[in-house]
Amino acid sequence: MQPPAVPSHIQRLRPYVPGKPIEEVQREFGLTDVVKLASNENPLGPSPRAVEAIRQAIAGNLGLYPDGACFSLTRALAERWNVPQEQLVLGNGSDEIIASLGLVYLGPGSEVLSCHPTFVQYEAAARLNQAEYVTAPLRDHRYDLDALADLLAPQTRLVFIANPNNPTGSIVRRAELERFLNRCPETALVVLDEAYFEYADDPEYPDGLDYVREGRNVIVLRTFSKIYALAALRVGYGISRPEIIRALHQVRQPFNVNTLAQVAALASLDDPEQVTRSRRANAAGAHTLYQAFERLGLPYVETHANFVLFDLRKTARPYFEALLRRGVIVRCGDALGLPTCLRVTIGRPEDNARFLAALEELLAGPLDQADVRAA
Ligand SMILES: Cc1ncc(COP(=O)(O)O)c(C=O)c1O
């Protein structure tokens, strides 16, 4: 008996390749001490209040479904950002909201715009819904919003702008974003993906909510996965016009955000110290990495997030493999369309030191043949 045929647009989808889990690298290379600097997680971990809230929730009744409306968390976020609750939707990570936007707005004949390289889930949302994915190249590692505006067409439904961008850590500034928004037709929704919002401190960094409050066709996405360090629990949110939010509620799963995620996210909002601490440690870590890259003569992109993209100026894959064997997991640029680059998440001081020591050692001599073969 044959299983039903998988439609060709699904067959063509490439599964997301995440940063390697620590346990896998431990198993593969027989290592005990492995540091993961591959997925832009916050190495300081979540607020102790979040951990305590989870502990209490576990002691409660896990047999009950979560609150499908995320009542308390929605109310807290609405207060925090001073927007009506009907303008907020919670998701199983902001990934889910990206996918839901695809379900709501895309289909054959429609187009999604973004710059390349950027966060891969935008392309996935397009392909899953048989929409075209059209990109302009980054310029000097930054979104080129003028080039993106030239691509706007009557069939454009979604425009994804990661600000800061992943994998480069660069930002678009207020003036260029406003120029772009003014060129956008009503038929396109601009998705301002601000997953790293809390790390960005440039005075010209725009707060996407300003444009939502102006009533523009914009949705802002934020997450508890990054600075709040709750990536394991999967919770993110979107803020937009009520009509857009209503449509997202219509397509989402009824219990998309689990109970532990809801209580932890809520408790995190009460701990601004954890955010300040993380931001400060991140800035110091960026500084350490910049200094080392300069000493090593490696070009890098100045970051507004919690990771740094740097250029080895030769094929990066063998270096990625060699770092793995030394117990340091980073992200190889080839998967991101940047084959000579590596992206490293800013870790704790000891993680950064370990990464830099391994990198310096590798750059000082010829690579092991094993690393070259593995690449
Ligand atoms: C730009 C960007 N958007 C969204 C996400 C997804 O975040 P979440 O964990 O909320 O799904 C990431 C995660 O790496 C990201 O880099």
Side-chain angles (χ1 to χ4, degrees):
M1 213 165 97
Q2 289 282 329
V6 175
S8 57
H9 73 281
I10 302 291
Q11 283 186 37
R12 279 195 298 271
L13 294 177
R14 276 165 294 170
Y16 180 74
V17 185
K20 284 205 185 220
I22 288 175
E23 294 73 18
E24 187 182 324
V25 175
Q26 284 174 331
R27 259 196 321 271
E28 207 173 320
F29 301 111
L31 299 168
T32 46
D33 185 16
V34 171
V35 43
K36 183 176 175 216
L37 302 172
S39 301
N40 306 338
E41 294 142 334
N42 179 352
L44 300 189
S47 163
R49 295 184 194 200
V51 177
E52 181 51 34
I54 293 167
R55 225 177 252 128
Q56 284 181 21
I58 290 175
N61 191 349
L62 290 181
L64 300 179
Y65 282 99
D67 172 6
C70 295
F71 178 80
S72 301
L73 183 55
T74 304
R75 187 176 57 184
L77 284 168
E79 262 170 39
R80 156 67 58 101
W81 300 120
N82 195 21
V83 293
Q85 293 182 34
E86 57 174 9
Q87 290 191 242
L88 249 152
V89 64
L90 270 295
N92 186 40
S94 43
D95 275 349
E96 190 204 4
I97 305 178
I98 294 168
S100 295
L101 284 164
L103 283 177
V104 170
Y105 288 104
L106 303 179
S110 60
E111 270 183 18
V112 175
L113 300 188
S114 193
C115 280
H116 180 77
T118 191
F119 187 50
V120 290
Q121 292 306 98
Y122 310 151
E123 178 169 3
R127 304 262 176 248
L128 184 59
N129 295 287
Q130 298 179 269
E132 290 299 317
Y133 185 65
V134 182
T135 59
L138 297 181
R139 192 164 162 191
D140 299 329
H141 300 294
R142 297 178 59 242
Y143 263 66
D144 182 348
L145 291 187
D146 292 326
L148 202 57
D150 290 339
L151 295 175
L152 287 163
Q155 65 275 21
T156 308
R157 288 290 162 275
L158 296 175
V159 183
F160 284 99
I161 301 176
N163 199 30
N165 186 32
N166 176 7
T168 55
S170 58
I171 56 165
V172 297
R173 295 189 163 77
R174 206 168 283 125
E176 56 191 327
L177 180 59
E178 287 175 12
R179 196 164 64 235
F180 177 81
L181 293 177
N182 289 337
R183 282 183 68 183
C184 263
E186 279 191 342
T187 42
L189 172 62
V190 177
V191 185
L192 292 177
D193 181 348
E194 297 180 343
Y196 303 95
F197 172 82
E198 296 83 359
Y199 287 107
D201 64 355
D202 187 284
E204 291 303 310
Y205 175 70
D207 178 344
L209 291 182
D210 290 344
Y211 309 111
V212 174
R213 293 196 191 94
E214 284 174 10
R216 302 215 195 212
N217 284 332
V218 162
I219 180 164
V220 170
L221 304 185
R222 292 190 186 156
T223 182
F224 286 92
S225 297
K226 302 301 177 183
I227 213 160
Y228 291 104
L230 295 174
L233 295 180
R234 315 301 300 123
V235 52
Y237 57 99
I239 302 182
S240 188
R241 303 168 63 127
E243 309 90 305
I244 292 168
I245 295 299
R246 205 172 308 127
L248 290 169
H249 278 298
Q250 279 167 317
V251 301
R252 74 171 171 83
Q253 301 235 347
F255 304 107
N256 58 338
V257 183
N258 70 76
T259 301
L260 304 186
Q262 290 187 40
V263 298
L266 185 62
S268 297
L269 289 175
D270 276 339
D271 190 358
E273 252 310 295
Q274 182 265 347
V275 172
T276 310
R277 203 165 50 236
S278 303
R279 205 186 275 146
R280 208 176 291 136
N282 189 67
H287 186 67
T288 304
L289 293 178
Y290 293 167
Q291 280 185 324
F293 293 145
E294 276 161 30
R295 198 175 60 246
L296 295 167
L298 301 175
Y300 61 91
V301 184
E302 232 175 87
T303 190
H304 298 263
N306 65 342
F307 53 87
V308 183
L309 184 79
F310 66 100
D311 193 349
L312 288 165
R313 290 192 290 196
K314 45 194 164 187
T315 308
R317 175 62 53 173
Y319 290 88
F320 164 79
E321 291 290 342
L323 286 167
L324 271 188
R325 280 158 202 265
R326 283 160 182 75
V328 181
I329 317 173
V330 296
R331 198 68 193 225
C332 190
D334 54 9
L336 313 163
L338 299 161
T340 63
C341 293
L342 295 175
R343 189 195 70 194
V344 60
T345 301
I346 298 166
R348 297 169 303 173
E350 58 271 34
D351 305 331
N352 300 331
R354 168 125 180 244
F355 156 70
L356 288 171
L359 182 68
E360 279 197 58
E361 187 191 315
L362 292 172
L363 290 172
L367 282 176
D368 272 8
Q369 277 313 301
D371 296 323
V372 177
R373 272 197 305 276

